[in-house]
Amino acid sequence: MHSEPTQAVIPHASGSETLRYRATTIGVSSLHAQQRDGAWYLRAAEPLGDYPERLTDRLASGAREHPDRWLAARRDSGEQWRGLSYARALHDARAIGAALRARGLSAERPVAILSGNDLEHLQLALGAMWAGIPSAAISPAYSLASGDFGKLRHTFELLTPGLVFVSDYDAFAAAIEAVVPRDVEVVSAKIPTESRSSQRVVTPFDTLLSQEPGDIDSVHAAVHPDAIAKFLFTSGSTKLPKAVPTTHRMLCSNQQMLLETFPEFASEPPVLVDWLPWNHTFGGSHNLGIALYNGGTLYIDDGKPVNGKFEETLRNLREIAPTIYFNVPKGWEELAVALERDAQLRETFFSRVKLYFFSGAGLSQAAWDRLERVTEQHCGERIRIMAGLGMTETSPSCMFTTGPVMQAGYVGLPAHGVDVKLAPAGDKLEVRYRGPHVMAGYWRAQSADLNAAFDDEGYFCSGDALRFVDASRPEIGLLFDGRIAEDFKLSSGTFVSVGPMRSRVISAGAPYVQDVVVTGMNRDDVGLLVFPRLDECRRLAQLPATASVREVIDAPAVRAHFFALLATLNRNASGSATTIARLRLMERAPSLDLGEVTDKGSINQRAVLTQRAALVESLHEPGRADADVILAAART
């Protein structure tokens, strides 16, 4: 591996231009590409370097080399940052590991963590790893935002946990009483009120910390690289969540891939300010892993890019300057706007950040350009915007945007140690992965799920479609081309490529479009179910904050905007598969309980189409144009 400075002539969305970037280093590798039997096989020429046997080996080395440095920090009840040093984290992991081992826990009876990101969550997860016992961070939304606890019940039936942890028993009491068996121990960081805990004995978290370590270090030394470090659940964007056994080898190899992609992590310990949930692979494996693997510090951000919570993120970023910043596209969109308006935020945020990174969905070109514009205006230079492609089953990263293209939709080249296969799937290429970071199979899965997950060469079938920037020059890299299962045919037999269309609509519709679902299977034309960004639409319509959703979507200014959006989208349409004939503005947001959206905000196209079949039917009814449906102008 070698690295390159980021000042170069780089093909950008607007054409080739000389771009000046803040000094950093990006790993560069050469590509081996081969085509046989209709499939492409890609891999980096450089081998992956050595990595430790256990992720907790990095905790031990950190405690030796920089014992007083914070591994993680979070604001306490007094609004001050409370840090967990590497030395303290190791001390607590040994005690907690011994306490969990004394309880006879194992992969068959793991630790379930129901609450979100906090220091106790991290201490418990590290203690479980030290003892060779898997933990499973389960989405708090399954307990707090669900009406029937269906997904939470599903995870418990699949895992059969032997111990359950929550930060605050009172907040989770309803879910616990509905789902957690009476013979399963519950541990809480906050002592429950007497009325809440009268029917169940709840163990204080400090009880685990008081355990004598005993021979726990010898237990840790015997933990095999292929032992399960944790279970992560897939987002459930198509079916019920599946449990992914994530081993130490998977985590360590993937972190080494990240380090070789971003050598900057070795030059300066990374500092992260991060809200991304640890029950998802981006926050819990990728970001938290970067801090631990490279001796860095993660400041836990209790904000979130949603109404009412993003101000907390901004407050934290006014105080703590990250060296690399991660977020989902919605977070970057909100941050770019805030950076334009807030001088104090700009001074702190731009003071030492060297890399931007987004994942979870595609960043629209409009948001990309806005972020680059405010950065360049303040800093006199740009900061490299990076992205990757991966999934829970690959722990998570497989590809990075280390190639010469910088634009929305680009996913780049394979990381070191990753074998990539592009297999024909209709008129698209499905990307498949093989490597030390890929799971062996889903936990307690049906044979049908396992058979569908891997092809006959042992590659994991992702369901994502990619295409070359230039098929005659594979070394330039790849572009995201949607999800295979989302595409459909019109009644004419013409294929509609959903992923690229959805990205185009969200980008062109910014900032008034939150998300869209593409409709038209077996119908004459393409339609859209549009989930509007209500706060922006209210401003567009000059309505007060008290205006109802119905008033917003009925507002003449809003309807006129979306009518004009259809004209913009169709201006360069080449046929029925790219022409959008109609759209419906959705009054009701996607439902977590119905599986229409994951708790990180990803839309489930299939579930929305199923749950709202009647609305889809009326959308495509010939000649229909009511208060919700907007028809495109006839083309002449």
Side-chain angles (χ1 to χ4, degrees):
M1 182 193 76
H2 65 285
S3 58
E4 66 168 12
T6 57
Q7 182 173 341
V9 178
I10 301 175
H12 193 260
S14 58
S16 294
E17 54 181 317
T18 302
L19 304 176
R20 181 170 178 265
Y21 283 86
R22 178 165 289 184
T24 189
T25 52
I26 302 296
V28 177
S29 58
S30 49
L31 182 71
H32 278 169
Q34 183 182 28
Q35 191 175 21
R36 64 176 187 269
D37 299 328
W40 282 91
Y41 294 82
L42 311 175
R43 67 173 291 117
E46 294 79 4
L48 181 65
D50 294 336
Y51 48 85
E53 291 188 338
R54 295 161 291 265
L55 186 61
T56 37
D57 291 344
R58 290 297 210 198
L59 176 61
S61 62
R64 289 194 307 270
E65 297 165 12
H66 37 80
D68 297 328
R69 183 184 301 163
W70 284 357
L71 166 60
R74 188 188 184 207
R75 290 188 190 275
D76 61 20
S77 57
E79 300 298 304
Q80 300 300 309
W81 290 103
R82 179 169 70 92
L84 177 68
S85 71
Y86 277 82
R88 185 71 203 186
L90 175 58
H91 174 276
D92 293 347
R94 295 174 68 242
I96 291 171
L100 298 180
R101 183 168 177 252
R103 286 161 166 76
L105 303 180
S106 66
E108 302 297 327
R109 298 179 64 247
V111 175
I113 301 173
L114 304 191
S115 47
N117 303 2
D118 57 40
L119 297 182
E120 292 82 6
H121 179 148
L122 178 57
Q123 290 168 294
L124 183 59
L126 291 173
M129 281 192 199
W130 197 266
I133 297 166
S135 64
I138 297 172
S139 170
Y142 294 177
S143 298
L144 302 178
S146 173
D148 61 6
F149 306 118
K151 286 190 175 180
L152 181 65
R153 189 171 287 107
H154 166 74
T155 63
F156 268 67
E157 291 171 353
L158 196 54
L159 289 180
T160 59
L163 181 143
V164 172
F165 169 79
V166 290
S167 57
D168 181 353
Y169 181 89
D170 288 350
F172 288 82
I176 290 170
E177 293 307 312
V179 175
V180 180
R182 289 286 173 184
D183 60 349
V184 172
E185 183 179 11
V186 175
V187 176
S188 177
K190 186 176 179 181
I191 302 301
T193 58
E194 184 175 348
S195 60
R196 284 288 195 181
S197 61
S198 59
Q199 303 300 314
R200 184 188 295 267
V201 175
V202 179
T203 303
F205 178 74
D206 287 346
T207 301
L208 305 182
L209 292 172
S210 65
Q211 181 80 27
E212 288 296 324
D215 65 347
I216 195 63
D217 291 342
S218 61
V219 173
H220 177 256
V223 174
H224 191 271
D226 291 320
I228 301 169
K230 61 180 178 177
F231 293 103
L232 278 172
F233 280 89
T234 60
S235 63
S237 58
T238 56
K239 300 178 181 178
L240 281 173
K242 302 183 186 75
V244 176
T246 306
T247 67
H248 284 274
R249 187 189 305 278
M250 290 167 63
L251 293 169
C252 291
S253 64
N254 205 241
Q255 284 300 322
Q256 186 62 27
M257 293 172 192
L258 277 158
L259 177 57
E260 294 182 18
T261 302
F262 303 104
E264 193 67 40
F265 296 164
S267 302
E268 179 183 10
V271 174
L272 283 65
V273 180
D274 194 49
W275 69 270
L276 287 151
W278 294 346
N279 57 279
H280 284 295
T281 189
F282 187 16
S285 294
H286 188 280
N287 296 358
L288 183 56
I290 284 172
L292 177 58
Y293 197 83
N294 299 285
T297 303
L298 186 146
Y299 288 84
I300 298 171
D301 174 16
D302 287 325
K304 198 174 183 180
V306 298
N307 289 339
K309 293 190 175 181
F310 195 62
E311 180 53 44
E312 176 64 17
T313 293
L314 299 180
R315 177 172 75 136
N316 293 332
L317 289 175
R318 291 185 195 106
E319 292 185 21
I320 308 299
T323 60
I324 179 170
Y325 190 66
F326 299 93
N327 217 320
V328 295
K330 176 65 163 57
W332 280 113
E333 292 169 9
E334 298 288 346
L335 181 60
V337 173
L339 286 166
E340 291 173 345
R341 301 171 178 172
D342 190 328
Q344 181 184 350
L345 176 67
R346 290 194 299 269
E347 288 302 312
T348 304
F349 181 75
F350 288 130
S351 63
R352 60 174 178 173
V353 64
K354 294 182 178 179
L355 289 167
Y356 299 157
F357 195 102
F358 69 88
S359 190
L363 184 66
S364 72
Q365 193 63 52
W368 183 302
D369 292 342
R370 188 171 193 170
L371 179 61
E372 287 202 321
R373 185 166 57 249
V374 67
T375 301
E376 197 163 23
Q377 287 172 349
H378 181 75
C379 302
E381 58 190 358
R382 297 186 181 187
I383 291 171
R384 185 79 177 257
I385 301 175
M386 303 294 295
L389 184 66
M391 52 206 320
T392 307
E393 293 89 339
T394 60
S395 62
S397 302
C398 296
M399 305 186 69
F400 294 104
T401 54
T402 52
V405 176
M406 293 187 68
Q407 68 179 64
Y410 181 62
V411 297
L413 296 162
H416 295 178
V418 181
D419 289 309
V420 169
K421 177 180 178 180
L422 301 177
D427 61 347
K428 293 198 173 190
L429 294 172
E430 181 190 26
V431 62
R432 302 175 179 180
Y433 306 112
R434 194 170 66 181
H437 65 311
V438 179
M439 71 166 191
Y442 296 109
W443 183 249
R444 295 174 174 168
Q446 301 295 321
S447 59
D449 287 330
L450 293 177
N451 292 338
F454 297 90
D455 68 13
D456 56 5
E457 293 183 294
Y459 285 85
F460 177 76
C461 303
S462 72
D464 289 333
L466 302 183
R467 58 185 172 87
F468 287 106
V469 174
D470 182 347
S472 67
R473 300 175 62 198
E475 69 276 6
I476 294 178
L478 294 147
L479 295 164
F480 187 71
D481 199 25
R483 292 281 297 171
I484 299 291
E486 292 176 348
D487 293 350
F488 59 83
K489 287 182 180 180
L490 296 173
S491 58
S492 63
T494 304
F495 261 110
V496 176
S497 186
V498 169
M501 177 175 285
R502 177 176 169 273
S503 297
R504 186 161 58 93
V505 174
I506 292 173
S507 182
Y512 304 108
V513 175
Q514 180 68 53
D515 219 324
V516 297
V517 170
V518 181
T519 69
M521 182 185 299
N522 299 324
R523 301 179 188 276
D524 295 339
D525 51 34
V526 175
L528 300 175
L529 301 180
V530 177
F531 294 97
R533 187 166 288 168
L534 292 172
D535 52 347
E536 296 289 350
C537 289
R538 280 193 182 93
R539 280 192 281 270
L540 175 65
Q542 299 183 341
L543 290 171
T546 55
S548 68
V549 176
R550 170 53 58 188
E551 290 173 315
V552 172
I553 64 178
D554 282 349
V558 173
R559 289 180 59 81
H561 169 79
F562 282 98
F563 180 79
L565 175 62
L566 281 177
T568 299
L569 292 167
N570 290 334
R571 189 168 295 133
N572 298 314
S574 57
S576 59
T578 54
T579 299
I580 301 168
R582 60 198 72 225
L583 66 79
R584 173 185 285 278
L585 295 174
M586 303 302 290
E587 186 174 5
R588 180 166 55 88
S591 166
L592 176 73
D593 281 347
L594 296 177
E596 294 180 328
V597 67
T598 69
D599 61 304
K600 66 177 180 180
S602 300
I603 200 76
N604 179 341
Q605 300 261 336
R606 183 185 302 174
V608 171
L609 292 171
T610 299
Q611 296 293 336
R612 309 194 189 209
L615 292 178
V616 174
E617 188 70 31
S618 66
L619 172 64
H620 286 272
E621 185 178 327
R624 186 177 183 89
D626 61 18
D628 298 327
V629 176
I630 298 173
L631 300 176
R635 301 182 69 180
T636 59

